[in-house]
Amino acid sequence: MHINTIIEADIAWQEQALCAQTGAEFFFPEPGSSVREAKRICGMCEMRPACLEYALNNDERFGVWGGLSEKERLSLRRLQE
């Protein structure tokens, strides 16, 4: 039960995130497609910091998380090393 509590707290931000109210196609576009709309939505979202932290902690490799693309998160990871 303790593990479930930790996991639920770790992702509780997702229910309040703007992406939960928007289609996933913005955040997981086809390769080569624009992520501009996803970044615009992320820019207005109060959950953006929690989202980015989640993506970095869980090594999310696809999609826009916390307003950053896959390449941008990879660059950020490299800077943090």
Side-chain angles (χ1 to χ4, degrees):
M1 183 139 139
H2 179 69
I3 292 172
N4 289 340
T5 304
I6 293 171
I7 292 170
E8 288 173 11
D10 191 38
I11 61 171
W13 59 268
Q14 290 181 354
E15 293 177 4
Q16 298 173 12
L18 290 178
C19 60
Q21 304 163 30
T22 312
E25 67 275 3
F26 292 119
F27 302 93
F28 297 94
E30 294 294 321
S33 297
S34 175
V35 294
R36 185 179 314 136
E37 186 63 19
K39 288 183 172 195
R40 185 185 71 76
I41 294 167
C42 289
M44 297 183 295
C45 184
E46 293 179 14
M47 298 297 114
R48 185 175 174 261
C51 179
L52 180 57
E53 181 180 357
Y54 175 85
L56 294 172
N57 290 342
N58 292 283
D59 198 28
E60 289 290 345
R61 303 219 176 183
F62 301 100
V64 175
W65 291 80
L68 299 181
S69 68
E70 299 98 334
K71 290 180 182 179
E72 291 166 331
R73 289 193 308 277
L74 180 59
S75 294
L76 183 58
R77 276 192 212 100
R78 288 180 179 157
L79 288 173
Q80 293 177 339
E81 291 177 352

Coordinates of all heavy atoms in Angstrom, one line a residue:
M1 N 0.8 -1.2 0.0 CA 0.0 0.0 0.0 C 0.9 1.3 0.0 O 0.5 2.2 -0.6 CB -0.9 0.0 1.2 CG -1.8 1.2 1.2 SD -3.5 0.7 1.7 CE -3.9 2.1 2.7
H2 N 2.0 1.2 0.7 CA 2.9 2.4 0.7 C 3.4 2.7 -0.7 O 3.4 3.9 -1.1 CB 4.1 2.1 1.6 CG 5.0 3.2 1.7 ND1 4.7 4.4 2.3 CD2 6.3 3.3 1.2 CE1 5.8 5.2 2.2 NE2 6.8 4.5 1.6
I3 N 3.7 1.7 -1.5 CA 4.2 1.9 -2.9 C 3.1 2.6 -3.7 O 3.4 3.6 -4.4 CB 4.6 0.6 -3.5 CG1 5.9 0.1 -2.8 CG2 4.9 0.8 -5.0 CD1 6.3 -1.3 -3.2
N4 N 1.9 2.2 -3.6 CA 0.8 2.8 -4.3 C 0.6 4.3 -3.9 O 0.3 5.1 -4.8 CB -0.5 2.0 -4.1 CG -0.5 0.7 -4.8 OD1 0.2 0.5 -5.7 ND2 -1.4 -0.2 -4.3
T5 N 0.7 4.6 -2.7 CA 0.6 5.9 -2.2 C 1.7 6.8 -2.8 O 1.4 7.9 -3.3 CB 0.7 6.0 -0.7 OG1 -0.3 5.1 -0.1 CG2 0.5 7.4 -0.2
I6 N 2.9 6.3 -2.9 CA 4.0 7.1 -3.5 C 3.7 7.3 -5.0 O 3.8 8.4 -5.5 CB 5.3 6.4 -3.3 CG1 5.7 6.4 -1.8 CG2 6.4 7.0 -4.1 CD1 6.9 5.5 -1.5
I7 N 3.3 6.3 -5.7 CA 3.0 6.4 -7.1 C 1.9 7.3 -7.4 O 2.0 8.2 -8.2 CB 2.8 5.0 -7.7 CG1 4.0 4.1 -7.7 CG2 2.2 5.1 -9.1 CD1 3.8 2.7 -8.0
E8 N 0.8 7.2 -6.6 CA -0.3 8.1 -6.8 C 0.0 9.6 -6.5 O -0.4 10.5 -7.3 CB -1.5 7.7 -5.9 CG -2.1 6.4 -6.3 CD -3.2 5.9 -5.4 OE1 -3.5 6.6 -4.4 OE2 -3.6 4.7 -5.5
A9 N 0.8 9.9 -5.5 CA 1.3 11.2 -5.2 C 2.2 11.7 -6.4 O 2.1 12.9 -6.7 CB 2.0 11.3 -3.9
D10 N 3.0 10.9 -6.9 CA 3.9 11.3 -8.0 C 3.2 11.7 -9.2 O 3.7 12.5 -10.0 CB 4.9 10.1 -8.2 CG 6.0 10.5 -9.1 OD1 6.6 11.6 -9.0 OD2 6.4 9.6 -10.0
I11 N 2.0 11.1 -9.5 CA 1.3 11.5 -10.7 C 0.0 12.2 -10.5 O -0.7 12.5 -11.4 CB 1.1 10.2 -11.6 CG1 0.2 9.2 -10.8 CG2 2.4 9.6 -12.1 CD1 -0.3 8.1 -11.7
A12 N -0.2 12.7 -9.3 CA -1.5 13.4 -9.0 C -1.6 14.7 -9.8 O -2.7 15.1 -10.2 CB -1.5 13.7 -7.5
W13 N -0.4 15.3 -10.2 CA -0.4 16.5 -11.0 C -1.1 16.3 -12.3 O -1.6 17.2 -12.9 CB 1.0 17.0 -11.2 CG 1.9 16.0 -11.8 CD1 2.7 15.1 -11.2 CD2 2.0 15.8 -13.2 NE1 3.3 14.3 -12.2 CE2 3.0 14.8 -13.4 CE3 1.5 16.5 -14.4 CZ2 3.3 14.3 -14.7 CZ3 1.9 16.0 -15.6 CH2 2.8 15.0 -15.8
Q14 N -1.1 15.1 -12.8 CA -1.6 14.8 -14.2 C -3.1 15.2 -14.3 O -3.5 15.6 -15.4 CB -1.4 13.4 -14.6 CG 0.1 13.1 -14.8 CD 0.4 11.7 -15.2 OE1 -0.5 10.8 -15.2 NE2 1.6 11.4 -15.6
E15 N -3.9 15.0 -13.2 CA -5.3 15.3 -13.3 C -5.5 16.8 -13.5 O -6.6 17.1 -14.0 CB -6.0 14.8 -12.0 CG -6.0 13.3 -11.9 CD -6.6 12.8 -10.6 OE1 -7.1 13.6 -9.9 OE2 -6.6 11.6 -10.4
Q16 N -4.6 17.6 -13.0 CA -4.8 19.0 -13.1 C -4.1 19.6 -14.3 O -4.3 20.8 -14.6 CB -4.3 19.7 -11.9 CG -5.0 19.3 -10.6 CD -4.3 19.8 -9.4 OE1 -3.4 20.7 -9.4 NE2 -4.7 19.3 -8.2
A17 N -3.3 18.9 -15.0 CA -2.6 19.4 -16.2 C -3.5 19.7 -17.4 O -4.5 19.0 -17.6 CB -1.5 18.4 -16.6
L18 N -3.1 20.7 -18.1 CA -4.0 21.1 -19.3 C -4.0 20.0 -20.3 O -4.9 19.9 -21.1 CB -3.4 22.4 -19.9 CG -3.7 23.7 -19.0 CD1 -3.1 24.9 -19.7 CD2 -5.2 23.9 -18.8
C19 N -2.9 19.2 -20.4 CA -2.8 18.2 -21.4 C -3.9 17.1 -21.2 O -4.3 16.4 -22.1 CB -1.4 17.6 -21.5 SG -0.9 16.8 -20.0
A20 N -4.3 17.0 -19.9 CA -5.4 16.0 -19.6 C -6.7 16.4 -20.3 O -7.6 15.6 -20.4 CB -5.5 15.8 -18.1
Q21 N -6.8 17.7 -20.6 CA -8.1 18.2 -21.2 C -7.9 18.4 -22.7 O -8.8 19.0 -23.4 CB -8.4 19.6 -20.5 CG -8.5 19.4 -19.0 CD -8.4 20.8 -18.4 OE1 -8.8 21.8 -18.9 NE2 -8.0 20.8 -17.1
T22 N -6.8 18.0 -23.3 CA -6.4 18.2 -24.7 C -6.1 16.9 -25.3 O -5.8 15.9 -24.6 CB -5.2 19.1 -24.8 OG1 -5.4 20.3 -23.9 CG2 -5.0 19.6 -26.2
G23 N -6.2 16.8 -26.6 CA -5.8 15.6 -27.3 C -4.4 15.2 -27.2 O -3.5 16.1 -27.3
A24 N -4.1 14.0 -27.1 CA -2.7 13.5 -27.0 C -1.9 13.8 -28.3 O -0.7 13.8 -28.3 CB -2.7 12.0 -26.7
E25 N -2.6 13.9 -29.4 CA -1.9 14.2 -30.7 C -1.0 15.4 -30.7 O 0.0 15.5 -31.4 CB -2.9 14.2 -31.9 CG -3.8 15.4 -31.9 CD -5.1 15.2 -31.0 OE1 -5.3 14.2 -30.4 OE2 -5.9 16.2 -31.1
F26 N -1.4 16.4 -29.8 CA -0.5 17.6 -29.7 C 0.8 17.2 -29.0 O 1.9 17.8 -29.4 CB -1.2 18.7 -28.9 CG -2.4 19.3 -29.5 CD1 -3.6 19.2 -28.9 CD2 -2.3 19.9 -30.7 CE1 -4.8 19.7 -29.5 CE2 -3.4 20.5 -31.4 CZ -4.6 20.4 -30.7
F27 N 0.8 16.3 -28.1 CA 1.9 16.0 -27.2 C 2.8 14.9 -27.7 O 3.9 14.7 -27.3 CB 1.5 15.8 -25.8 CG 0.8 17.0 -25.3 CD1 -0.6 17.1 -25.4 CD2 1.5 18.1 -24.8 CE1 -1.3 18.3 -24.9 CE2 0.8 19.3 -24.4 CZ -0.6 19.3 -24.4
F28 N 2.2 14.1 -28.6 CA 2.9 12.9 -29.2 C 2.7 13.0 -30.7 O 2.0 12.1 -31.3 CB 2.4 11.6 -28.6 CG 2.7 11.5 -27.2 CD1 1.7 11.9 -26.2 CD2 3.9 11.0 -26.7 CE1 1.9 11.8 -24.9 CE2 4.1 10.9 -25.4 CZ 3.2 11.3 -24.4
P29 N 3.2 14.0 -31.4 CA 3.0 14.2 -32.8 C 3.8 13.2 -33.6 O 4.7 12.6 -33.1 CB 3.5 15.6 -33.1 CG 4.5 15.8 -32.1 CD 4.1 15.1 -30.8
E30 N 3.4 13.0 -34.9 CA 4.2 12.2 -35.8 C 5.6 12.7 -36.0 O 5.8 14.0 -35.8 CB 3.5 12.2 -37.2 CG 2.1 11.5 -37.2 CD 2.2 10.0 -36.9 OE1 3.1 9.3 -37.4 OE2 1.3 9.5 -36.1
P31 N 6.6 11.9 -36.2 CA 7.9 12.4 -36.4 C 8.0 13.4 -37.5 O 7.4 13.3 -38.5 CB 8.7 11.1 -36.8 CG 7.9 10.0 -36.2 CD 6.5 10.4 -36.3
G32 N 8.7 14.5 -37.1 CA 8.9 15.6 -38.0 C 7.8 16.7 -38.0 O 7.9 17.7 -38.6
S33 N 6.7 16.4 -37.2 CA 5.6 17.3 -37.1 C 6.0 18.4 -36.0 O 6.8 18.2 -35.2 CB 4.3 16.6 -36.6 OG 3.9 15.7 -37.6
S34 N 5.3 19.5 -36.1 CA 5.5 20.6 -35.2 C 5.0 20.3 -33.8 O 4.0 19.6 -33.6 CB 4.8 21.9 -35.7 OG 4.9 22.9 -34.7
V35 N 5.8 20.8 -32.8 CA 5.4 20.6 -31.4 C 5.0 22.0 -30.8 O 4.8 22.2 -29.6 CB 6.5 20.0 -30.5 CG1 6.7 18.6 -30.9 CG2 7.8 20.8 -30.6
R36 N 4.8 23.0 -31.7 CA 4.5 24.3 -31.3 C 3.2 24.4 -30.5 O 3.2 25.1 -29.5 CB 4.4 25.2 -32.5 CG 4.2 26.7 -32.2 CD 4.1 27.6 -33.4 NE 5.1 27.2 -34.4 CZ 4.9 27.1 -35.7 NH1 3.7 27.4 -36.2 NH2 5.9 26.8 -36.5
E37 N 2.2 23.8 -30.9 CA 0.9 23.8 -30.2 C 1.0 23.2 -28.8 O 0.5 23.7 -27.8 CB -0.2 23.1 -30.9 CG -1.6 23.3 -30.3 CD -2.1 24.7 -30.3 OE1 -1.6 25.6 -31.0 OE2 -3.0 25.0 -29.5
A38 N 1.7 22.1 -28.7 CA 2.0 21.4 -27.4 C 2.7 22.4 -26.5 O 2.4 22.5 -25.3 CB 2.7 20.1 -27.6
K39 N 3.7 23.0 -27.0 CA 4.5 23.9 -26.1 C 3.7 25.1 -25.7 O 3.9 25.6 -24.6 CB 5.8 24.4 -26.9 CG 6.8 23.3 -27.0 CD 8.0 23.8 -27.7 CE 9.1 22.8 -27.6 NZ 10.4 23.4 -28.0
R40 N 2.8 25.6 -26.6 CA 1.9 26.7 -26.2 C 1.0 26.3 -25.0 O 0.9 27.1 -24.1 CB 1.1 27.1 -27.4 CG 0.2 28.4 -27.2 CD -0.7 28.7 -28.3 NE -1.8 27.7 -28.5 CZ -2.8 27.7 -27.7 NH1 -3.0 28.6 -26.7 NH2 -3.8 26.8 -27.9
I41 N 0.5 25.1 -25.1 CA -0.4 24.6 -24.1 C 0.4 24.5 -22.8 O 0.0 24.9 -21.7 CB -1.1 23.3 -24.5 CG1 -2.1 23.6 -25.6 CG2 -1.8 22.7 -23.3 CD1 -2.6 22.4 -26.3
C42 N 1.6 23.9 -22.9 CA 2.4 23.7 -21.7 C 2.8 25.0 -21.1 O 2.9 25.1 -19.8 CB 3.7 23.0 -22.1 SG 3.5 21.2 -22.5
G43 N 3.0 26.0 -21.9 CA 3.4 27.3 -21.4 C 2.3 28.0 -20.5 O 2.6 28.8 -19.7
M44 N 1.0 27.5 -20.7 CA -0.1 28.1 -19.9 C -0.4 27.2 -18.7 O -1.2 27.5 -17.8 CB -1.3 28.2 -20.7 CG -1.2 29.2 -21.9 SD -2.7 29.3 -22.8 CE -2.9 27.7 -23.5
C45 N 0.3 26.0 -18.6 CA -0.1 25.0 -17.6 C 0.7 25.2 -16.3 O 1.9 25.3 -16.3 CB 0.2 23.6 -18.1 SG -0.3 22.3 -17.0
E46 N 0.0 25.3 -15.1 CA 0.6 25.4 -13.8 C 1.3 24.1 -13.4 O 2.2 24.2 -12.5 CB -0.4 25.7 -12.8 CG -1.1 27.1 -13.0 CD -2.1 27.4 -11.9 OE1 -2.2 26.7 -10.9 OE2 -2.9 28.4 -12.1
M47 N 1.1 23.0 -14.1 CA 1.7 21.7 -13.7 C 3.0 21.5 -14.5 O 3.6 20.4 -14.3 CB 0.7 20.6 -14.0 CG -0.6 20.6 -13.1 SD -0.2 20.5 -11.4 CE -0.7 22.1 -10.8
R48 N 3.4 22.4 -15.3 CA 4.5 22.3 -16.1 C 5.8 21.8 -15.4 O 6.5 20.9 -15.8 CB 4.8 23.5 -16.9 CG 5.9 23.4 -17.9 CD 6.1 24.7 -18.7 NE 7.2 24.6 -19.6 CZ 8.4 25.2 -19.2 NH1 8.5 25.9 -18.2 NH2 9.4 25.0 -20.0
P49 N 6.1 22.4 -14.3 CA 7.3 22.0 -13.5 C 7.3 20.5 -13.1 O 8.2 19.8 -13.2 CB 7.4 22.9 -12.3 CG 6.7 24.2 -12.8 CD 5.6 23.7 -13.6
A50 N 6.1 20.1 -12.5 CA 5.9 18.8 -12.1 C 6.0 17.8 -13.3 O 6.6 16.7 -13.1 CB 4.6 18.6 -11.4
C51 N 5.4 18.2 -14.4 CA 5.5 17.4 -15.6 C 6.9 17.1 -16.1 O 7.3 16.0 -16.4 CB 4.6 18.0 -16.7 SG 4.5 17.2 -18.2
L52 N 7.7 18.2 -16.1 CA 9.0 18.1 -16.6 C 9.8 17.3 -15.6 O 10.6 16.4 -16.0 CB 9.7 19.5 -16.7 CG 11.1 19.5 -17.2 CD1 11.3 18.8 -18.5 CD2 11.6 20.9 -17.3
E53 N 9.6 17.5 -14.3 CA 10.4 16.7 -13.3 C 10.0 15.2 -13.5 O 10.9 14.3 -13.5 CB 10.0 17.1 -11.9 CG 10.7 16.4 -10.8 CD 10.3 16.8 -9.4 OE1 9.6 17.8 -9.3 OE2 10.8 16.2 -8.5
Y54 N 8.7 14.9 -13.7 CA 8.3 13.5 -13.9 C 9.0 12.9 -15.1 O 9.5 11.8 -15.1 CB 6.8 13.4 -14.1 CG 6.3 12.1 -14.4 CD1 6.0 11.1 -13.4 CD2 6.1 11.7 -15.7 CE1 5.6 9.9 -13.7 CE2 5.6 10.4 -16.1 CZ 5.4 9.5 -15.1 OH 4.9 8.3 -15.4
A55 N 9.0 13.7 -16.2 CA 9.6 13.2 -17.5 C 11.1 12.9 -17.3 O 11.6 11.9 -17.8 CB 9.4 14.2 -18.6
L56 N 11.8 13.8 -16.6 CA 13.2 13.6 -16.4 C 13.5 12.4 -15.5 O 14.4 11.6 -15.7 CB 13.9 14.9 -15.9 CG 13.8 16.0 -16.9 CD1 14.3 17.3 -16.2 CD2 14.7 15.8 -18.1
N57 N 12.7 12.3 -14.4 CA 12.9 11.2 -13.4 C 12.6 9.9 -14.0 O 13.1 8.8 -13.6 CB 12.1 11.5 -12.2 CG 12.6 12.6 -11.3 OD1 13.7 13.0 -11.5 ND2 11.8 13.1 -10.5
N58 N 11.7 9.8 -15.0 CA 11.2 8.6 -15.5 C 11.8 8.3 -16.9 O 11.3 7.4 -17.6 CB 9.7 8.5 -15.5 CG 9.2 8.4 -14.1 OD1 9.2 7.4 -13.5 ND2 8.7 9.5 -13.6
D59 N 12.7 9.1 -17.4 CA 13.4 9.0 -18.6 C 12.4 8.8 -19.8 O 12.5 8.0 -20.7 CB 14.3 7.8 -18.6 CG 15.3 7.8 -19.7 OD1 15.7 8.9 -20.2 OD2 15.8 6.8 -20.1
E60 N 11.4 9.7 -19.8 CA 10.4 9.7 -20.9 C 11.1 10.1 -22.2 O 11.8 11.2 -22.3 CB 9.3 10.7 -20.6 CG 8.3 10.3 -19.6 CD 7.5 9.1 -20.0 OE1 7.4 8.8 -21.2 OE2 6.9 8.5 -19.0
R61 N 11.1 9.3 -23.2 CA 11.8 9.5 -24.4 C 11.0 10.0 -25.6 O 11.5 10.4 -26.6 CB 12.5 8.2 -24.8 CG 13.4 7.8 -23.7 CD 14.7 7.2 -24.2 NE 15.5 6.9 -23.0 CZ 16.7 6.4 -23.1 NH1 17.2 6.2 -24.3 NH2 17.4 6.1 -22.0
F62 N 9.7 10.0 -25.4 CA 8.8 10.4 -26.5 C 7.8 11.5 -26.1 O 7.4 11.5 -24.9 CB 8.0 9.2 -27.1 CG 8.9 8.1 -27.6 CD1 9.2 7.0 -26.8 CD2 9.5 8.2 -28.8 CE1 10.0 6.0 -27.2 CE2 10.4 7.2 -29.2 CZ 10.6 6.1 -28.4
G63 N 7.5 12.4 -27.0 CA 6.5 13.4 -26.7 C 7.0 14.7 -26.1 O 8.2 14.8 -25.8
V64 N 6.1 15.6 -25.9 CA 6.4 16.9 -25.2 C 6.0 16.7 -23.8 O 4.8 16.4 -23.5 CB 5.7 18.0 -25.9 CG1 5.9 19.3 -25.1 CG2 6.1 18.2 -27.3
W65 N 6.9 16.9 -22.9 CA 6.6 16.9 -21.4 C 7.2 18.1 -20.8 O 8.4 18.5 -21.0 CB 7.3 15.6 -20.8 CG 6.7 14.3 -21.2 CD1 7.0 13.7 -22.3 CD2 5.8 13.5 -20.4 NE1 6.3 12.5 -22.4 CE2 5.6 12.4 -21.2 CE3 5.2 13.7 -19.2 CZ2 4.7 11.4 -20.7 CZ3 4.4 12.7 -18.7 CH2 4.1 11.6 -19.5
G66 N 6.4 18.8 -20.0 CA 6.9 20.0 -19.3 C 7.4 21.1 -20.2 O 8.2 21.9 -19.9
G67 N 6.8 21.1 -21.4 CA 7.1 22.1 -22.4 C 8.4 21.8 -23.2 O 8.8 22.7 -24.0
L68 N 9.0 20.7 -23.0 CA 10.2 20.4 -23.8 C 10.0 19.1 -24.7 O 9.4 18.2 -24.3 CB 11.4 20.1 -22.8 CG 11.8 21.2 -21.9 CD1 13.0 20.8 -21.0 CD2 12.1 22.5 -22.7
S69 N 10.7 19.2 -25.8 CA 10.6 18.0 -26.7 C 11.6 17.0 -26.3 O 12.4 17.2 -25.3 CB 11.0 18.5 -28.1 OG 12.4 18.9 -28.2
E70 N 11.7 15.9 -27.0 CA 12.6 14.8 -26.6 C 14.0 15.3 -26.7 O 14.8 15.1 -25.8 CB 12.5 13.6 -27.6 CG 11.1 13.0 -27.6 CD 10.2 13.5 -28.8 OE1 10.4 14.6 -29.2 OE2 9.3 12.7 -29.2
K71 N 14.4 16.0 -27.8 CA 15.7 16.5 -27.9 C 16.1 17.5 -26.8 O 17.2 17.5 -26.3 CB 15.9 17.2 -29.3 CG 15.9 16.2 -30.4 CD 16.1 16.8 -31.8 CE 16.0 15.8 -32.9 NZ 16.1 16.5 -34.2
E72 N 15.1 18.4 -26.5 CA 15.4 19.4 -25.5 C 15.6 18.7 -24.1 O 16.5 19.2 -23.3 CB 14.3 20.4 -25.4 CG 14.2 21.3 -26.6 CD 12.9 22.0 -26.8 OE1 11.8 21.6 -26.3 OE2 13.0 23.1 -27.4
R73 N 14.8 17.7 -23.8 CA 15.0 17.0 -22.5 C 16.4 16.3 -22.5 O 17.0 16.2 -21.5 CB 13.9 16.0 -22.3 CG 12.6 16.7 -21.9 CD 11.5 15.7 -21.3 NE 11.3 14.6 -22.2 CZ 10.5 14.5 -23.2 NH1 9.8 15.6 -23.6 NH2 10.4 13.4 -23.9
L74 N 16.8 15.7 -23.6 CA 18.1 15.0 -23.7 C 19.2 16.0 -23.5 O 20.1 15.8 -22.7 CB 18.2 14.3 -25.1 CG 19.6 13.6 -25.3 CD1 19.8 12.5 -24.2 CD2 19.6 13.1 -26.7
S75 N 19.1 17.2 -24.1 CA 20.1 18.2 -23.8 C 20.1 18.7 -22.4 O 21.2 18.9 -21.8 CB 19.8 19.5 -24.7 OG 19.9 19.1 -26.1
L76 N 19.0 18.8 -21.8 CA 18.9 19.2 -20.4 C 19.5 18.1 -19.5 O 20.3 18.4 -18.6 CB 17.4 19.4 -20.0 CG 17.2 19.9 -18.5 CD1 17.9 21.2 -18.3 CD2 15.7 20.1 -18.3
R77 N 19.3 16.9 -19.8 CA 19.9 15.8 -19.0 C 21.4 15.8 -19.1 O 22.1 15.6 -18.1 CB 19.4 14.4 -19.5 CG 18.1 14.0 -18.9 CD 17.9 12.5 -19.3 NE 16.4 12.3 -19.4 CZ 15.7 12.2 -20.5 NH1 16.4 12.3 -21.7 NH2 14.5 12.1 -20.6
R78 N 21.9 16.1 -20.3 CA 23.3 16.1 -20.5 C 24.0 17.3 -19.7 O 25.1 17.2 -19.2 CB 23.7 16.3 -21.9 CG 23.4 15.0 -22.7 CD 23.8 15.1 -24.2 NE 23.5 13.8 -24.8 CZ 23.3 13.7 -26.1 NH1 23.3 14.8 -26.9 NH2 23.1 12.5 -26.6
L79 N 23.3 18.4 -19.6 CA 23.7 19.6 -18.9 C 23.8 19.3 -17.4 O 24.6 19.8 -16.6 CB 22.9 20.8 -19.1 CG 23.0 21.5 -20.5 CD1 22.0 22.6 -20.6 CD2 24.4 22.0 -20.7
Q80 N 22.9 18.5 -16.9 CA 22.7 18.1 -15.5 C 23.8 17.1 -15.0 O 24.0 16.9 -13.8 CB 21.3 17.6 -15.2 CG 20.3 18.7 -15.3 CD 18.9 18.2 -15.0 OE1 18.6 17.0 -15.1 NE2 18.0 19.1 -14.8
E81 N 24.4 16.4 -16.0 CA 25.4 15.4 -15.6 C 26.6 15.9 -15.1 O 27.1 16.9 -15.3 CB 25.6 14.4 -16.8 CG 24.4 13.6 -17.1 CD 24.6 12.7 -18.3 OE1 25.6 12.9 -19.1 OE2 23.7 11.9 -18.6

